[in-house]
Amino acid sequence: MVPDEKKPIPWGLPPLRSEVLARQAQAAAVPEDREKEAELPEYFPEPSAHYASNGYMPLDRLEALSGRQRLGIFVGGALLLGGTALLASVGGCLMSAQGGGEPCPMHVVAELVRGGHNASNTVAWDRLAEMTDLYGHRMTASRAYDLSAEWVVRTANSDPNLTAYTEPVWVDEWVRGSESLELLVPTREGGRVPLQLLGLGSSAPTPAGGIEANVVPVHSFDELARLGNATISGSVVLFNFPYTGYGQVARFRSRGAVEAAKYGARAVLVRTLAPDSSFHSVHTGSSVRAAIPGAAISPADANMIERMYRRAQAGASPDHVFPRVRLSMDSRLREHARQSANVIIDLKGAELPDEIVLLSGHFDSWDVGVGAMDDGAGAFLGWEAARMIAAAGVAPRRTIRVVMWNNEETRQRGAHAYFDRHRDEIKRHRLAVESDIGVFEPWGLVVAAEDSVVERMRAFGAHALRALGGGNVTAADREAPGEDIAVLCKHGVPCAGFLSVNPETGAAPGDPHWEDHYFRHHHASSDRVEAIDKHQLRRSAAALAAWAYMAAEY
């Protein structure tokens, strides 16, 4: 479905890649002689001030739960989730627990919250560090991906009550190969300046021997069209633009090469999609395969090339020559190259094992950094939540399933393989949660479900998670709050995205710079385990465990 471009999307979350590609395909059908470029979608933060009145406890007031607080969670949660009938059952459960019987579900939730404060538990971070240290990145179709998946299955099967396995996924293989970029500057020693670059995912290679051409900077697809073949043909196009949010500028990376090829460009360079303070970093990412190659360069190098271009245009000095580059890329793509896998970890339900609460993050990464933040932490978040619930010693009524998706970064083949394999079971999925915007201090959920469900969840989070964090809930302004769960949401499964607080500034969803920390390391060599705090990861896992357990119970 192509979303309404004018429909607000909360908090500056990037659009789903499927939405971006759908919009781009729609835009491609617009006649080329259009006078005005289609407007970029706007992202309007949802006001967060009302959350201050829901009893949510600030992070600097975290404390261990007292008996009175636990009782408040029992009673408040029962009323909010299921009304007086559930409260009566909880009352009986409380008396049973006092007599040595099974603990109440809300008692389990309280213990999970307490576990979030257990500073000695760094299991999730330690495991993430070990896996990424051992095997590095997890590029789709790579041997490192397979070894990492095998390691997770082996390790998760050592956790009591968890069952880990894989399910097959057929994937493409794109290999970066060697790549280099030089800026030819007669006034510099040696006449050239090596520049950092990263080829864009799925990019075509350069011809043998590379490309040497002048660079023409543009700031939009409209400007590219106005310059046309007369200026663009035979040149390398540089898309240089201010970073106004990932969702607003991602199309230059994804479709820049396709658009520039229409006017005879030989290659495309794209300013890295990152906050401007990351002026010397280079980030890769997916692109639509075109007849010409595409690569990302740093904001600083993009600005330098444009300054050189403007000076040459002005002609004030013979030293001011038009920028010229020498580009070489040896990438290769094989479609449907091999069978890989999704990783699945099940905590079997005691009463309704065929009904599923799904927790997820994607397991694949790019081939720079080690993918600890994007999205190793999101995948391990669900694993640790399931492990915490299993360690509580009381099986949930429904099965809690962790899915570590394959191939999110390009084609979402893992998500579609899961849907195809479990098509007849989709109606038994009670909730699907995805984490893919970083795991830092827990903030809460964005939920795509009926209004009544959202309201009950919002109230429960305010009461049950006020001493930990992660209890905020708001409604999604689009069909799916996550890329990989989108196919489940589309088929009627209630869905949620797990969100965190910016660890640098404390900015929460609603702040225009909330996502800056995440995109500072996104798809870059700095995506290492140091981007994740072990205690924040534990607290987020405890919050997600509380949500998952209650969804599995009620």
Side-chain angles (χ1 to χ4, degrees):
M1 181 184 82
V2 178
D4 181 355
E5 296 259 356
K6 299 185 181 299
K7 185 175 182 181
I9 297 178
W11 327 303
L13 279 171
L16 301 182
R17 185 175 293 105
S18 54
E19 294 175 350
V20 171
L21 295 177
R23 282 200 297 268
Q24 290 162 350
Q26 187 180 59
V30 177
E32 292 187 6
D33 62 352
R34 64 188 182 189
E35 294 185 2
K36 181 174 172 57
E37 183 178 5
E39 293 183 358
L40 289 168
E42 297 292 339
Y43 297 87
F44 300 99
E46 180 173 344
S48 57
H50 67 281
Y51 295 120
S53 64
N54 72 359
Y56 183 75
M57 185 175 293
L59 297 174
D60 59 3
R61 294 175 57 195
L62 293 175
E63 60 182 11
L65 293 177
S66 66
R68 178 173 295 181
Q69 284 176 308
R70 290 199 297 272
L71 181 61
I73 290 176
F74 304 156
V75 176
L79 281 170
L80 294 166
L81 286 172
T84 55
L86 181 55
L87 178 60
S89 69
V90 168
C93 178
L94 281 169
M95 290 187 287
S96 173
Q98 289 173 350
E102 286 291 313
C104 294
M106 295 307 295
H107 176 82
V108 176
V109 168
E111 293 306 312
L112 292 170
V113 170
R114 285 175 63 86
H117 297 295
N118 178 11
S120 67
N121 173 16
T122 60
V123 170
W125 191 93
D126 293 341
R127 286 175 166 179
L128 181 61
E130 181 180 350
M131 181 191 73
T132 54
D133 289 348
L134 285 171
Y135 308 114
H137 70 75
R138 301 172 305 285
M139 185 81 160
T140 290
S142 69
R143 177 62 175 155
Y145 180 100
D146 294 342
L147 291 171
S148 299
E150 291 168 5
W151 183 91
V152 169
V153 170
R154 187 168 61 249
T155 306
N157 277 324
S158 72
D159 289 334
N161 301 316
L162 298 186
T163 302
Y165 52 100
T166 61
E167 291 183 346
V169 180
W170 278 93
V171 294
D172 298 346
E173 181 182 36
W174 181 79
V175 178
R176 180 177 305 282
S178 61
E179 51 190 22
S180 64
L181 177 65
E182 294 178 333
L183 178 63
L184 306 182
V185 186
T187 55
R188 293 285 191 103
E189 184 177 354
R192 59 186 184 180
V193 180
L195 302 183
Q196 288 184 301
L197 85 157
L198 284 172
L200 299 178
S202 300
S203 172
T206 58
I211 291 170
E212 184 175 321
N214 285 354
V215 182
V216 177
V218 300
H219 308 92
S220 68
F221 291 152
D222 269 349
E223 183 180 1
L224 177 73
R226 286 196 300 270
L227 293 175
N229 291 73
T231 301
I232 299 301
S233 183
S235 299
V236 172
V237 170
L238 166 64
F239 286 99
N240 192 24
F241 41 81
Y243 181 80
T244 54
Y246 186 84
Q248 286 88 336
V249 297
R251 63 177 178 166
F252 297 116
R253 186 193 69 202
S254 60
R255 284 200 63 84
V258 171
E259 296 300 320
K262 296 176 182 178
Y263 305 100
R266 298 181 67 189
V268 160
L269 300 175
V270 180
R271 178 193 182 106
T272 274
L273 309 186
D276 291 341
S277 57
S278 303
F279 59 87
H280 197 53
S281 64
V282 183
H283 301 209
T284 189
S286 63
S287 65
V288 177
R289 189 170 177 86
I292 62 174
I297 63 174
S298 72
D301 288 340
N303 289 340
M304 176 174 65
I305 290 172
E306 178 154 1
R307 290 193 300 268
M308 294 174 65
Y309 184 86
R310 300 306 171 198
R311 291 189 194 109
Q313 278 187 317
S317 167
D319 289 337
H320 297 163
V321 298
F322 283 99
R324 189 172 181 84
V325 295
R326 187 175 294 142
L327 172 67
S328 177
M329 295 172 58
D330 187 29
S331 58
R332 57 189 185 276
L333 173 68
R334 291 194 304 141
E335 295 185 338
H336 301 282
R338 61 188 299 269
Q339 182 176 287
S340 187
N342 288 328
V343 178
I344 299 180
I345 304 170
D346 283 344
L347 172 58
K348 190 173 182 180
E351 297 180 26
L352 301 168
D354 292 336
E355 295 189 10
I356 295 165
V357 173
L358 187 146
L359 312 178
S360 71
H362 69 85
F363 196 60
D364 64 310
S365 73
W366 286 105
D367 56 341
V368 293
V370 297
M373 184 195 72
D374 180 26
D375 184 33
F380 278 41
L381 178 73
W383 179 10
E384 178 63 6
R387 192 191 71 84
M388 284 180 158
I389 295 169
V394 181
R397 292 182 67 217
R398 297 177 176 86
T399 293
I400 293 175
R401 172 170 293 168
V402 179
V403 181
M404 301 183 183
W405 308 106
N406 198 337
N407 194 224
E408 183 275 343
E409 294 291 3
T410 56
R411 304 291 294 274
Q412 298 81 53
R413 291 273 173 77
H416 291 286
Y418 180 88
F419 178 81
D420 290 342
R421 189 179 186 92
H422 298 274
R423 184 181 297 270
D424 295 337
E425 307 164 24
I426 298 305
K427 61 181 178 296
R428 295 197 291 272
H429 284 60
R430 301 280 294 191
L431 176 69
V433 183
E434 181 172 339
S435 172
D436 187 20
I437 194 72
V439 181
F440 312 115
E441 205 68 70
W443 184 86
L445 301 176
V446 51
V447 179
E450 295 180 0
D451 290 345
S452 60
V453 173
V454 174
E455 288 304 315
R456 288 198 301 274
M457 293 179 71
R458 178 179 288 146
F460 166 75
H463 283 264
L465 294 172
R466 63 189 302 250
L468 178 66
N472 289 301
V473 172
T474 192
D477 285 325
R478 61 187 181 201
E479 186 176 82
E483 183 76 57
D484 284 310
I485 60 174
V487 65
L488 301 178
C489 309
K490 180 180 178 181
H491 286 81
V493 178
C495 291
F498 188 88
L499 307 180
S500 300
V501 174
N502 184 320
E504 294 181 21
T505 65
D511 185 289
H513 297 289
W514 160 65
E515 64 187 11
D516 281 2
H517 175 79
Y518 177 76
F519 286 112
R520 203 178 314 286
H521 304 290
H522 179 251
H523 298 177
S525 60
S526 61
D527 186 354
R528 308 288 294 273
V529 74
E530 285 76 13
I532 302 297
D533 179 271
K534 60 184 66 179
H535 302 298
Q536 293 174 356
L537 178 55
R538 180 191 62 251
R539 287 192 285 269
S540 286
L544 181 59
W547 283 114
Y549 188 80
M550 290 309 295
E553 289 297 301
Y554 299 115

